[in-house]
Amino acid sequence: QVQLVESGGGLVQAGGSLRLSCAASGSIFSINTMFWYRQAPGKQRELVASINRDGMTVYADSVKGRFTISRDNAKNTVNLEMDTLKPEDTAVYYCQMNMMLHNRRWYDYWGQGTQVTVSS
């Protein structure tokens, strides 16, 4: 079965850095776009960043210049380097991947979520 496993969350002081990673495993034919979302308590889910298979990236205005999304196609992983973290970045972060299975159809898969807490 296809699974996405996230790692790298934790507690950090404002101004610090964290690196999140999300690795997909299973019978995967191809992965198109990879995404990072986040959801803070009482808030709607927010798209943080995305990267397509050619490396083109899109960022939310709130994280531009501070976060960097990258991918390793050989390892089916997506990373999120978070620098100059702010308390407003506190949320559960979820990865998502749009992938083709061997039936040649596309599906969306989600990671389990990882908590990022930034203290002031």
Side-chain angles (χ1 to χ4, degrees), residues 2 22 41 69 89-90 98 108 111 114 118:
V2 174
C22 176
I69 188 171
D89 297 318
T90 295
N98 181 238
D108 290 330
T114 185
V118 184

Side-chain angles (χ1 to χ4, degrees), residues 10-23:
L11 174 65
V12 66
Q13 291 183 324
S17 300
L18 284 174
R19 182 181 177 89
L20 306 183
S21 182
C22 176

